[in-house]
Amino acid sequence: MLPKHVFQPPRGMRDYLPRDLYERRVVENTIRELFRLYGYEEVETPTVEHYELLAAKVGEETRRTMYVFKDLAGRTLALRPEGTAPIARLVASKLKTAPKPLRLGYVWDFYRYDEPQRGRYRRFYQGGFELLGSSRPEADIEILSISIELMRRLGFESFQVKLNNVNILRSLMAEKGLDEATQNRILGLADKKRYAEAIEELKKHGVGEDLISKLSRLFQLRGVDHRELMSEAERVLKGCENALEALKNLRFILETVKEVYPEPQYLLDFGFARGLEYYTGLIFEVFVDGLDIALIGGGRYDKLVELYGGEPTPAVGCAPGIDRLVLAMKLKNIMPDPPSNYRVYLCILNEKVLAYGFKVSARLRAEGIPVEMEVMGRKLSKTLSIASSRGFLYTVIIGPKEAESGLVSLKDMAKGVQETLTVEEMLKRIKIRLQTLHVSKRL
Ligand code: HAM
């Protein structure tokens, strides 16, 4: 006998039953509709990639939680923890000469050995929108607008967009000679809101009081009063031209997006960092009240394609977390019920007339009418009561009499009326009924 635990999926991974999958599809279909409306072409890469490629720029936290293994030939491989690295690999190789901008989309599963909790799984789905080839703010604004459109189309009435430009903190640190590895450590701590430790780490590097006080101030600077916050940040950054340039870029993007989409709350947070290390400019996350985990994450990564041996290719993108969006929709009671699938049940009373019954079912399906066959050998009375309790519109009954005369018996489950009809009459009857139920478009 196998041990009991093997009958459950591995910890942090889920089975998606029909209802779960329907809910996932609601989000996925909306993501795909946005691919179409914004011109993103879908691509797919393997779930498994070379470890070095995935590990190069994902940051300590994601690297630590990767599923890594050796294949039989001794290659070190890993399950992808996120989608931007595989996309950058494609653009650096197979799509090297493709005209820019490139708009690539995906809906894939990802793996991270995170500690499982509400909305945090070890296998989860993300959509992705990656816009490659443009360093202009229009590109950042497009990615933000896609994120906001997605939230609106899914039915969220209020939500929050948190933003920063990672180059503000990076430029300040680079100016004082801190190398990239140290910057990454500081930003990694800021990502976890461990600001005091980030300051301690800075002190270890013997940086002057000036940088410590600037970073301490920025770590506290957040809110929705953008004008006030921007002026304060400008004061703090005085003298550091690169940081001021990054601030200007952030201000322009924020002001434009706010003008187009005034509804979301925009939280400017100068201490906000993201765990992934490839970001070089705008970073953002989307939240709803009552759930303190990000639903969408994104930002600009201008150096990744180059790092993978491609042409210098500025890029920006975002990834909506599909499982978390489903969770948030259910929390806000905005997940729609599945549409009624008006079906016909078909019951063949005798094995000798199976072929005739299957022909009738094929005729129904050829007209786009969903048919389920009775395959359990149940008696007619039992079949009818099941068909009725499961919401079938009609039951088609086929016995030797019907088969001989080329007819069918059609029982209307709601009215309880049964008639014997030709196949054509049956089709007409069912189609008229479906039209009155407004499902004709799907036929
Ligand atoms: P990320 O913020 O790590 O960004 O993930 C994006 C989204 O995936 C998160 O906002 C969250 O909704 C979902 N997610 C992350 N981890 C989990 C988990 N353990 N369980 C459930 N959902 C999760 C990225 O992955 C970047 N590649 C986004 C990006 C695209 N940046 C530029 N382009």
Side-chain angles (χ1 to χ4, degrees), residues 405-429:
S405 47
L407 300 172
V408 298
S409 291
L410 183 69
K411 178 147 189 165
D412 183 322
M413 302 313 291
K415 294 190 190 135
V417 180
Q418 184 170 322
E419 296 168 284
T420 301
L421 305 168
T422 67
V423 172
E424 292 312 312
E425 282 167 345
M426 168 197 73
L427 289 172
K428 202 166 149 201
R429 190 72 50 97

Side-chain angles (χ1 to χ4, degrees), residues 100-142:
K100 308 291 181 304
L102 264 171
R103 289 185 168 90
L104 301 177
Y106 52 88
V107 176
W108 300 336
D109 57 342
F110 294 94
Y111 299 80
R112 295 183 192 175
Y113 202 81
D114 276 333
E115 194 44 40
Q117 48 189 282
R118 189 163 79 138
R120 193 177 294 279
Y121 310 102
R122 289 181 176 168
R123 175 177 187 265
F124 57 93
Y125 279 82
Q126 283 182 3
F129 296 81
E130 310 286 356
L131 172 47
L132 301 112
S134 169
S135 59
R136 300 175 63 85
E138 295 86 300
D140 305 73
I141 293 163
E142 172 168 313

Side-chain angles (χ1 to χ4, degrees), residues 243-257:
L244 282 169
E245 199 50 45
L247 182 70
K248 202 170 130 197
N249 167 269
L250 180 60
R251 178 191 303 217
F252 180 73
I253 292 170
L254 173 60
E255 281 175 1
T256 312
V257 173

